[in-house]
Each structure stands twice: as structure tokens, then as C-alpha cells.
Amino acid sequence: MLVHLLPLAALLSGVALLLLGSGLLTTLLAVRGGIEGFGSPFMGLLGSMFFAGFLIGTHVAPRMIRRVGHVRAFAFFTSAVACAVLLHELLVVPWVWALVRLLTGISMVGLYTIVESWLNSQAAPAQRARVFSVYMGVNLGALALSQQLLHLGPASGHVLFGLAALLVSAAVMPVAATRLVQPVLDRNASVDLKSLYAKAPIALSAAFASGLAMGAFWGLGAVWADGHGIGHQGIAAFMTATILGGALFQWPIGLLSDRIDRGRAIAFVSFGATMCAIVLMAVASRGTLAISLAGFIYGGFAFALYPMAVARMIDRLQPHEVLSGSSSLLLIHGAGAAAGPLLAGFAMALAGGAALPLWFAATQGALAIAASSLLRRLTPDVAHQTRFQPMVRTASTAFDMVDGAHPNDLPSTRPSPETR
């Protein structure tokens, strides 16, 4: 395996540096926004602007990459993110922050697209699943570690913003120095959402509900923790614990979802996330340790829902539909992620900090009910399920690795969804 990863070390190093910087920025903005007196509705708007940029970027970024190539596009988008980081510190003005978060979202999806298409082109088909697993490990590990960088300086000063910009800028160096051949970025059409819902209603519902909850977590999780007076160290501990739980629980949950009907597994996991969100609300006033432990368990359930939605989609589509269907699944997940922070932010303004875990419970509880209801008219079909692949929200190019990694798991013919 090491032999296959060494040529990709430059790309993986670039991703790690990029996510260390961007992960630090996401939490730093929540803390700095509290210092500046920005309310939860505005902080929710910032989260929504980022994910709105992510949706825009799925259309804009590939054109830039095809026009100038992967290396130049990577340099362009990383420079844009680094400039955005510094603009947050130089111009502490709400509308400026909103615009630069939109720019950051557009740029980040461009960077994901570049790295993932490159990894896919360089990894041998038999190794793509392993390469993708390492790539996801780098993603989650860097995001978890980035939260601990909050200890290196006050959020009210210049150091942390400068560090975030430095890390993002440094991501260019290993990628610019690589000798890997640049791939050709394919154009993939999307499956009609109505058609996708008809074939994989539970997958589409899970993707949307996961977007609503996880968009709110990324946009407002640190704001919620800050509101309970646990300080910067407590915020870092809570965010790190939740991300680590999301990373570690995906393997046992994925193994379970491979062995039972995946629709039932989604209903079970969404119910578990609902219960954990209620526990998170109950322990909110009991200090850093209690919040972090509850966050760890909640993250374990909540982070698993999107990859389970992806696996369920692959289960229900014909092999030639998977890559195009993935674009539609990512679109609906992104729409939920764009709406979630804004709606949850207004709910927090009306009902206080308890509204965020209640939002988690409401969205994931609704998914549990919807999945259970849909299962009544669907026949279980464990025999045709593909293998679960741990992942986080990413660009549609990642699905090339997910789909191409294990062709034996995707039979050339499957029973139609109506008979399953």
C-alpha cells in the first residue's frame, strides 16, 4: 500500500495543510464573531454563504480547471482562500465576511475537485478504495487537529488568522512541486432529482437531512459551545471530539450497514443521532468534559449519515448511473447544508442555545421517521448492497474513486428498485 501512496504524498500533504488552515478558520470565525458581537443569525448566515459558495463552485470551478490546468487552478484557489482568511481580520465588517465566505466556498470545492480527480487518475483501479480511505483519513484528521490550533493565540488578535493564511498558502508548495501528470477533468451529467428520488428515496432524504444538520454544526457548533462559557480550550475540545467521533464511528456503523438492510441502518443511525442530540442539550451546562463526550458520541452517529446515503444510492442505481447520480445527491446535500446554518441561527436567536441541539434532533428525527415510513413499501435487498465507504462531504469527483474502487460490488445488472 505504501508503494501506491508515496507518489501521492504531495497531493495528500497539500490537502492536510489546506484543511488545517480552513478548519482553523471555521472555528476561529465563530469565536471572533462572538467577540465582535455578531449574533447567531449572522453566524448562521456565514455558514450558509460558505455552502452556497460550495454549490456555485461545483459549476464554476471545473471550467477554471479545464481552462488553466490543475496546478495553476490549485494555486489560484489557494490564493483566493488565503486572501479571504486575511480579509476577515483586516475588515471586520459583516457584509465583507459574508462575501468572503462565499468566495471561500467556491474556492474550496475547486480545490477538492482538483485533488480528487488527480488522486482518481493516479490510483490503480484495484487501489482506489484504499487511497480514498487514506484521503478521508487525512481530511478528518486535519480537521480535528486544526481545532487545537486555537490554543496558539487569542481570537481577538492577528496570530491565528495569520497562521490560517500561512497554512493555506503552504498547501501550494507540495502540489506545485509534484511531477504527477495532470488528469483530464470529465464532464458528468446529473440524474434528474425526481428520477433519483423514485429509485433511492431514502438516500436522497438522508443526504438532505444530513446537510441540514451538518451544515448547522460546521456553521454554529463553535458558536453554541462558546455560549456555554467553556472558553477557547473547551470549544477546541468539543469540536475536536465531535469530529473524531465522526471519524471513528464510521467503521463499525459501516460494517453494520453492510450486514443488514441499509435503509433500516439509516433509520437506526438517524434515531441514534436524535437521542444523542437530546443528550447534548441536557449536558450543555455541565462543563467541557460532558459536552465533549456528548459531542463525540453525537458526531459518531451524525457524520455517518451522509456516507450511508451515498452507499444506499449506489445500492439502488444501475452502475452506469452512479457517477451522474452522485452529482444530484451532492447537490441536495449541499442545499441542506446551505439552508441549515441560516435556519438554525434564527432558531438560536429566538430560543437560545438549546435551539441548536434541538435542530439536530428535529432534522435527524424527521429522517428516522421518513426512512421508517419508506421502508414499509421497499423490499430488503442485502445481497445487492455495495460496501460502505467512510467519507465526509466532498466534491463529486470523489465518487469516481468510490464507484471505481470496487467494481465487483457493483453488479452489471440489478433488480429494478420497484422489486426490491
Side-chain angles (χ1 to χ4, degrees), residues 29 38-53 88 93-102 215-216 218-220 223 337-348:
L29 289 180
F38 297 155
S40 55
F42 175 72
M43 298 310 297
L45 174 64
L46 285 185
S48 294
M49 291 295 283
F50 175 82
F51 288 109
H88 285 105
V93 180
W95 68 265
V96 173
W97 277 30
L99 287 178
V100 294
R101 282 308 277 168
L102 183 73
W218 291 115
L220 294 165
V223 176
L342 186 61
L343 296 173
F346 278 107
M348 290 175 70

Side-chain angles (χ1 to χ4, degrees), residues 226-405:
D226 192 27
H228 289 87
I230 58 176
H232 296 177
Q233 292 186 349
I235 295 169
F238 166 71
M239 294 296 289
T240 299
T242 307
I243 296 168
L244 285 177
L248 296 176
F249 275 48
Q250 288 197 35
W251 275 269
I253 288 177
L255 184 62
L256 171 68
S257 77
D258 288 344
R259 295 186 175 183
I260 67 173
D261 179 70
R262 196 155 352 246
R264 298 186 186 281
I266 289 174
F268 169 77
V269 171
S270 55
F271 177 76
T274 303
M275 294 297 101
C276 292
I278 294 172
V279 171
L280 187 62
M281 180 177 61
V283 303
S285 61
R286 299 190 179 182
T288 298
L289 180 60
I291 289 176
S292 298
L293 287 174
F296 178 81
I297 300 172
Y298 170 75
F301 283 92
F303 274 63
L305 283 171
Y306 179 62
M308 290 176 76
V310 172
R312 176 71 176 185
M313 177 203 69
I314 297 174
D315 295 341
R316 305 293 288 183
L317 298 184
Q318 295 295 328
H320 67 276
E321 297 175 314
V322 169
L323 292 183
S324 55
S326 68
S327 297
S328 294
L329 197 74
L330 188 63
L331 174 67
I332 200 70
H333 178 78
L342 186 61
L343 296 173
F346 278 107
M348 290 175 70
L350 294 173
L356 186 63
L358 279 176
W359 174 261
F360 296 154
T363 54
Q364 288 153 343
L367 173 60
I369 294 170
S372 298
S373 177
L374 288 167
L375 282 169
R376 295 174 185 172
R377 60 181 178 86
L378 298 173
T379 303
D381 187 31
V382 179
H384 289 91
Q385 288 185 171
T386 188
R387 189 171 67 245
F388 175 91
Q389 182 69 59
M391 67 186 306
V392 289
R393 171 199 46 79
T394 182
S396 60
T397 40
F399 290 91
D400 291 334
M401 287 185 280
V402 174
D403 179 40

Side-chain angles (χ1 to χ4, degrees), residues 125-169:
Q127 297 297 325
R128 284 178 185 164
R130 295 180 181 180
V131 169
F132 184 76
S133 295
V134 172
Y135 171 62
M136 284 297 110
V138 170
N139 267 260
L140 289 164
L143 288 171
L145 180 60
S146 69
Q147 309 305 305
Q148 297 303 310
L149 299 179
L150 282 174
H151 299 315
L152 299 182
S156 57
H158 306 284
V159 173
L160 293 180
F161 284 97
L163 177 60
L166 177 66
L167 289 166
V168 170
S169 299

